[in-house]
Amino acid sequence: MSTVQALEVTVTAPVASFRNPLYAGVQVGLPCPPPATVGGLLAAAAGGWDAVDPGLRFAMAFHARGQGVDLETYHPLDATGKKADPTPREREFLADVTLTVWLVHDPDQRVVTDLDLWQRRLRRPVWPLRLGRSQDLVGVRTRLVELRPGPGRQGAAVLPAGVTGFGTRLRLPTAVARDRSWTVWEDYRHHAAGTCEEQVPESTDWPEQTWVDKEGRAVVLLPPTHPIHAEERQP
């Protein structure tokens, strides 16, 4: 069975926090980063969205070893949109987190990604790389790996909701317009404990290719996160 090359990007951070934008006025955390957040991290490495191919897609998995609540300075806006007085507010956070991103190159599946370019970008990012908290930088490791077509273990993968029925169903931002006036939302599945042993099947109901890495983990591409996909849908 033929294999394809991929760039596996491992992002680690002692603390991360992803606010759920569906809850206005309160700080409710998500158990994993939205694809739009991970796309933003890649864009920061490249130097901005203008340097990113609008068709770029990636697969990802996420796991946190702990969670908690601390106090953050909240900068609210009043009814007119002006800044009001800052105030402390409880905020959920995740601890000792690992995000794995796969950039895949498979011309047979019309997935063309310059892996060498992205490896250089992630080794020497243009902008600081963060994961949901502006005060915390992340650690990044990259390596070229081989994937093969076939079903893989779901584990901690973040998957389109149509691929699997296991894990928590989440409504997450996929692409956000550059002026933040429009957001593309999609449904995903994520098993926060990362212990889901279910196999992600190759399904005729799901048109995308499913790959598996040497550790047996499922690798499934998510929809594109470039802001142009939100701006094109804006009424």
Side-chain angles (χ1 to χ4, degrees):
M1 185 175 295
S2 62
T3 59
V4 300
Q5 271 207 320
L7 181 65
E8 181 185 280
V9 185
T10 303
V11 181
T12 56
V15 178
S17 182
F18 311 107
R19 188 179 71 83
N20 191 333
L22 291 175
Y23 295 86
V26 296
Q27 298 289 316
V28 177
L30 289 165
C32 65
T37 297
V38 178
L41 182 143
L42 295 174
W49 283 112
D50 290 342
V52 177
D53 180 351
L56 178 71
R57 298 173 63 186
F58 54 81
M60 72 178 196
F62 180 83
H63 181 251
R65 300 185 67 183
Q67 59 185 350
V69 178
D70 64 359
L71 288 175
E72 289 277 342
T73 302
Y74 180 57
H75 300 273
L77 301 178
D78 63 21
T80 65
K82 296 180 180 178
K83 290 183 179 179
D85 292 335
T87 181
R89 181 165 292 184
E90 288 187 345
R91 185 180 188 185
E92 298 175 357
F93 68 87
L94 302 170
D96 197 3
V97 306
T98 300
L99 166 70
T100 306
V101 179
W102 289 273
L103 299 171
V104 180
H105 180 69
D106 186 356
D108 291 343
Q109 297 294 325
R110 292 184 292 182
V111 179
V112 179
T113 309
D114 189 335
L115 304 183
D116 291 335
L117 173 63
W118 277 104
Q119 190 166 37
R120 292 196 300 272
R121 285 173 165 175
L122 288 158
R123 282 177 173 173
R124 297 180 65 85
V126 175
W127 302 106
L129 303 184
R130 302 181 174 93
L131 205 52
R133 280 170 54 112
S134 60
Q135 65 267 51
D136 295 316
L137 298 177
V138 301
V140 178
R141 301 192 307 273
T142 63
R143 63 170 183 166
L144 292 172
V145 299
E146 290 188 344
L147 309 175
R148 58 179 172 80
R153 186 180 70 255
Q154 180 169 330
V158 178
L159 299 168
V163 172
T164 178
F166 297 92
T168 303
R169 190 174 185 123
L170 300 167
R171 186 78 166 161
L172 300 177
T174 299
V176 181
R178 274 168 275 211
D179 62 1
R180 296 189 175 274
S181 61
W182 196 257
T183 300
V184 175
W185 297 84
E186 307 278 359
D187 290 335
Y188 298 89
R189 291 274 186 181
H190 177 242
H191 191 275
T195 56
C196 184
E197 294 297 326
E198 295 298 324
Q199 296 288 301
V200 177
E202 293 180 283
S203 170
T204 55
D205 297 331
W206 178 249
E208 304 295 347
Q209 176 68 61
T210 298
W211 295 280
V212 57
D213 71 358
K214 289 185 177 179
E215 298 176 21
R217 295 179 294 181
V219 176
V220 181
L221 295 180
L222 306 182
T225 59
H226 196 286
I228 195 172
H229 299 287
E231 293 158 2
E232 288 177 344
R233 297 192 196 183
Q234 188 171 11

